Amino acid sequence: MATDNMKRAKFHPLALIAALLWSACGVSGAAATSVLPLGLDAIVAHAQHIAHVRCTGNEVEPDATVGLVTVTSFVVLDRVRGAAGATLTVRQAGGERDGLAIDYRVPKFQPGDEYVLFMPAASKLGLASPVGLAQGAFGVRSESGGK
């Protein structure tokens, strides 16, 4: 009887390999991004640029390395750290263009909205996202009454 159960419980190695490949390729559609929580001191320490900005637009461009790149333009309202200039341009991996969507779970910015950004130096590919992803991008909102 034990032999019969062992025959039924036997698995096929090819099925296991196929399941592992299936999940490794991301076919399930599940996605996650893990980012370690950072304190304000760490966010400031890793930021090459710290600025209060207003988003003026987003353009998505094809990129041979990461597929798509979203180029976001900002007007600088106030700068705490970084090179002088009236504008700041951020190139982040991902975006949507011509029916292709690539989402690397980086912060997204809306034209007209204001932010305080803590930006690191750009990578060798010319890409940068806020320090700690969403941890380095603070939305600014004005309320009536000046608060």
Side-chain angles (χ1 to χ4, degrees):
M1 187 164 197
T3 307
D4 289 339
N5 286 339
M6 289 179 71
K7 285 181 184 175
R8 277 187 259 153
K10 186 176 178 181
F11 66 92
H12 295 283
L14 290 177
L16 177 61
I17 291 169
L20 289 173
L21 287 173
W22 185 268
S23 65
C25 291
V27 176
S28 67
T33 301
S34 296
V35 179
L36 294 174
L38 300 172
L40 185 57
D41 290 342
I43 293 171
V44 170
H46 289 91
Q48 181 178 21
H49 298 277
I50 303 173
H52 175 199
V53 297
R54 180 180 303 113
C55 179
T56 57
N58 296 296
E59 290 186 32
V60 179
E61 302 172 348
D63 184 87
T65 305
V66 296
L68 294 173
V69 171
T70 299
V71 180
T72 304
S73 301
F74 299 94
V75 62
V76 176
L77 304 173
D78 192 18
R79 187 181 302 270
V80 175
R81 181 186 294 168
T87 62
L88 176 67
T89 301
V90 174
R91 296 181 77 242
Q92 296 189 101
E96 187 172 342
R97 179 183 170 128
D98 300 329
L100 174 64
I102 301 175
D103 189 355
Y104 288 101
R105 309 284 191 244
V106 297
K108 294 168 181 57
F109 303 103
Q110 299 301 317
D113 286 356
E114 293 182 19
Y115 305 90
V116 173
L117 297 180
F118 293 79
M119 296 298 300
S123 71
K124 292 177 184 177
L125 299 175
L127 303 174
S129 291
V131 174
L133 296 178
Q135 297 174 77
F138 295 85
V140 175
R141 120 188 124 152
S142 299
E143 295 180 8
S144 61
K147 293 183 179 181

